[in-house]
Structure formats: C-alpha cells, structure tokens
Amino acid sequence: MKIHEYQAKGILKKYGVAVPRGEMVESREEAEAAAKNLFSAGATGVVVKAQIHAGGRGKGGGVKIAKSVEEAGDLAAKMLGMKLVTHQTGPEGKIVGRLLIEETLPIEKELYLGIVVDRAEAKPVFMASAAGGMEIEEVAAKDPDAILKEYITPGMGLGAFQARKLAFKLGLSGKQINEAVRFMTGLYKAFEETDSSLMEINPFITCTDGRLFALDAKINFDDNAMFRHPDLKELRDITEEDPLEVEASKYSLNYIKLDGNVGCMVNGAGLAMATMDIIKYAGGMPANFLDVGGGANAEQVTHAFEILLSDKNVKAVLINIFGGILRVDTLANGVVEAARKTKIQLPIVLRLEGTNVEQGREILKQSGLNFLVAETMKDAAEKVVAAAKG
C-alpha cells in the first residue's frame, strides 16, 4: 500500500525524523492560509507540491516555489485538478487533488537514504548515497559503488555504529554525525514498526546552518501486515489506484493491470507467473496478473471474470487452472455464469487439470458456450495468442 508524501512525513515526524513545516491543502483558500502561516513563522518562501503516488513530480511541473501568499494561491489553483504526467504515471498521468504547502529551506547538499528488504540476503538493507535528488535506479546503474549499504540483522535494529559509518561516508562531519545517527535510527524504527516494504528519503538534505531534513519522503507498506495497523490502513487513497485493482481487492483477488491484450485468470501466484511467461514465449503480451487463489468460490471467480473483461484492451482470455482446493467444477460453474452474465464475445481458452476436471469439462461442454479447450500450457498459450491476434 502506497501513501502520499505528506502522510509519510507525518509518520516520520512521530519517530523523531526531521521534516520541513508544512500542511496538506485541497483548495486555493487553504493553500493561501497555509502559506500565510508559514511566512508568519519565518519562512522565506514556500513550496507547492502536488501529492500523487508517483515520482518525477518536479520534472512534470508538480513542484513550484512561491515567494508570496498570493503566488502560492495562484500556483495551487493551477495545480489542483491538473493532469500530472511523469515517467512513473505513464502517458495517462494522474489528476492532482491534494497539495503540500511547505517551507523552503537553505539547501547545502542533497543526499539519499532508503530502506528495503533484500530478499537474496533475507535481511533489511539500509542504503545511502551522496547522489541525492536523482533517480536512485539511474545512480545504481551508472555507478553501483555510489550506493552505500548496511545490512540489518532482524530483531537487532540499525546499530548506531552502522549509522555513523554511513554518515561519515556521506561526508557529514561535526554535530551532523550525531544528528544523522538519530535521523537514521528513527527512520529504521519507523520502517520496522509500521511493517514497511519501502522507506525512501530523496533528497535527504543538509542545510547551510547544519540542520538535516527529509525534504521528500516515500513509504510503501506490506499489504499482508495491514491487519496490524488499522490506523495506517485509513491512509489509503483509492483515487490514486487503478479502478480495476481497487475492485479486485474488494473480493480478495490479486489483480495487477498490465499493458498487453491477453487476459489471464490463474490460481496460484507461481502458476500465474509461468502463464504470463509462456504467453510472451508464444509471441503475446499478458494484459494482467490475476490470481483467484487456491480457495476461490464460484462467486469470486465470477467477479474475477468481470474485472478481467472490464479491461478494454483484452482481446482474448486464457484461464489456466490446476484444481486442488479450488475444484475445477467450481471454476467451470463460475466461468459459465460470468460468461452468460457479461454476454462475452471474446475467445476464451481454458487449460484445466486437477480435482473434478472431468466434471468441469462436462459443465463447459453442456453450457453451449464457445470455449476453446487446450491440453497443455504450451497449447493454451499458442491458441490464446492466435485468438488475440484474430
């Protein structure tokens, strides 16, 4: 689950991580009031920042500096409701509905801090780089040695000695070292206690007066841990998510929209990945990842089918099921019900194996609907790709 920058900064502030003074607004009037408060508190300027779940906002025109209350209001009026297009949003962009009005700071250096789970090492890794303010993937590709790493033993936390090592390698000195240690340990504590999958400060800045701040903040949470954090779950902004993915989540379906034209319905993440691979191997492109899970019922299968068909790019559908907990006859009933309800005209290819497979095939045969049945995954992929090309 992703959250907005202003929400991430609100969380980090509770853990002692220094963030600029700021306020989220949703109208010109609120933006002017927030700017007025900041100027009254001594700010020399304010930053008007679009709040969307994507990076590259500055390059897309979603981050602007205002030197007066009136200018902040003008910028807010222009940004609210605009379609902001960045390299992460894709050409469709995202509509800006919220802004963060924040004080400007006397920046000296822009650095980078980030925490993720390194699955190869089975440990969280705390990363730092002197190349802040840039796309960290680009930095890593051009100069891997520019990324400093400290691996953290689960249950031990980030050691002060590890934070000091990173601070020294970032070129910090004097009082900044101790402040950086507090900053980094607070950041890691927030990462651990909120069950985050990603925590990123880019840029992490030093000011000309020696202070350190998280000028930007990005946090992603592990969806599987949200039952432990009802307060964090409330931060979800579904307007920033794909409508089909939101709809799928209502029925406990794992759905991710992709760019192809072959719709996939599969049970089990591993089988779903293999199915997408073999579709590409056959010369096609999957339109989605859709895992109905091992224990899906006919109603869930029906909803899954409806969601899959809501994607206008889908030209053919491949249903690849190995019946275990989810019996093949249960799936077949769901598919037939959904096909009749949606009056589908697209070609549907099915590859079915497992529990009650014969009963499932009989249900499909007796339905009177035009399904293409495949014997193997290779056969299924070839048939569905040919049908999509139609």
Side-chain angles (χ1 to χ4, degrees):
M1 187 184 90
K2 297 179 180 179
I3 60 174
H4 289 292
E5 173 193 359
Y6 77 91
Q7 295 169 324
K9 285 179 172 175
I11 291 170
L12 295 179
K13 190 175 180 180
K14 295 176 183 178
Y15 286 87
V17 176
V19 299
R21 292 173 295 181
E23 185 179 336
M24 187 276 289
V25 302
E26 296 178 289
S27 69
R28 177 182 185 137
E29 294 71 25
E30 290 179 357
E32 290 180 344
K36 185 176 181 180
N37 290 337
L38 290 171
F39 282 119
S40 298
T44 57
V46 297
V47 187
V48 182
K49 307 176 80 173
Q51 298 297 285
I52 62 170
H53 290 176
R57 292 170 296 163
K59 293 178 181 177
V63 179
K64 300 287 185 180
I65 294 177
K67 293 296 184 181
S68 67
V69 171
E70 184 179 0
E71 187 180 4
D74 289 341
L75 290 172
K78 290 177 182 177
M79 280 192 202
L80 287 167
M82 74 179 282
K83 182 171 79 169
L84 183 55
V85 179
T86 78
H87 67 283
Q88 290 189 8
T89 65
E92 66 276 10
K94 287 187 178 289
I95 302 301
V96 178
R98 305 178 192 183
L99 303 173
L100 174 60
I101 309 299
E102 199 168 67
E103 65 176 329
T104 57
L105 293 168
I107 300 173
E108 180 186 44
K109 293 180 184 177
E110 294 189 355
L111 310 170
Y112 170 89
L113 298 177
I115 312 170
V116 294
V117 176
D118 186 323
R119 301 192 183 279
E121 295 289 334
K123 292 180 180 180
V125 57
F126 200 114
M127 301 178 294
S129 176
M134 300 172 58
E135 294 295 327
I136 199 63
E137 295 86 358
E138 185 180 329
V139 175
K142 291 182 177 178
D143 184 11
D145 293 336
I147 310 296
L148 309 171
K149 296 181 180 180
E150 283 292 323
Y151 286 92
I152 301 161
T153 301
M156 297 296 289
L158 178 71
F161 75 95
Q162 292 176 298
R164 278 195 296 272
K165 188 192 298 185
L166 291 173
F168 278 117
K169 288 184 177 180
L170 287 174
L172 303 180
S173 60
K175 294 181 180 179
Q176 289 181 336
I177 297 294
N178 287 336
E179 189 175 345
V181 170
R182 287 193 294 272
F183 192 106
M184 292 181 196
T185 52
L187 190 66
Y188 183 74
K189 188 176 181 183
F191 174 85
E192 189 174 51
E193 293 187 1
T194 60
D195 287 305
S196 297
S197 58
L198 167 72
M199 196 165 282
E200 189 174 66
I201 309 298
N202 190 20
F204 164 50
I205 64 165
T206 65
C207 295
T208 53
D209 56 14
R211 293 179 297 165
L212 307 178
F213 283 95
L215 196 63
D216 196 359
K218 179 179 180 180
I219 300 177
N220 293 351
F221 300 114
D222 185 343
D223 292 346
N224 296 309
M226 283 299 96
F227 71 93
R228 289 201 289 250
H229 306 283
D231 55 328
L232 298 180
K233 198 171 183 179
E234 294 299 315
L235 301 180
R236 183 184 182 192
D237 182 359
I238 61 173
T239 64
E240 288 290 314
E241 301 177 28
D242 185 283
L244 294 180
E245 294 180 15
V246 173
E247 187 68 15
S249 68
K250 295 178 183 178
Y251 305 104
S252 302
L253 299 169
N254 296 310
Y255 174 90
I256 299 173
K257 189 177 183 305
L258 302 173
D259 297 327
N261 62 1
V262 177
C264 310
M265 184 192 297
V266 188
N267 65 327
L271 185 58
M273 297 298 289
T275 301
M276 292 192 295
D277 285 345
I278 202 165
I279 288 171
K280 293 200 72 173
Y281 183 76
M285 284 290 290
N288 64 275
F289 172 102
L290 175 55
D291 172 17
V292 298
N297 53 38
E299 183 184 5
Q300 282 178 299
V301 171
T302 302
H303 288 305
F305 208 75
E306 291 171 348
I307 290 166
L308 190 152
L309 296 176
S310 297
D311 183 353
K312 302 302 181 184
N313 293 329
V314 171
K315 303 302 180 188
V317 176
L318 171 57
I319 300 176
N320 187 13
I321 297 292
F322 185 85
I325 300 173
L326 173 58
R327 303 195 319 263
V328 175
D329 57 331
T330 298
L331 171 93
N333 281 321
V335 169
V336 170
E337 183 179 340
R340 286 176 174 157
K341 185 176 180 181
T342 58
K343 298 180 181 179
I344 184 171
Q345 301 299 314
L346 298 178
I348 301 176
V349 178
L350 298 104
R351 181 258 180 181
L352 308 173
E353 291 294 345
T355 306
N356 291 358
V357 65
E358 294 303 328
Q359 294 94 316
R361 288 173 178 168
E362 187 63 24
I363 289 169
L364 296 174
K365 183 178 178 181
Q366 295 298 324
S367 70
L369 298 171
N370 187 24
F371 296 116
L372 301 173
V373 179
E375 295 298 324
T376 65
M377 283 181 61
K378 182 175 182 292
D379 180 36
E382 290 171 350
K383 283 181 177 176
V384 79
V385 169
K389 290 179 178 177

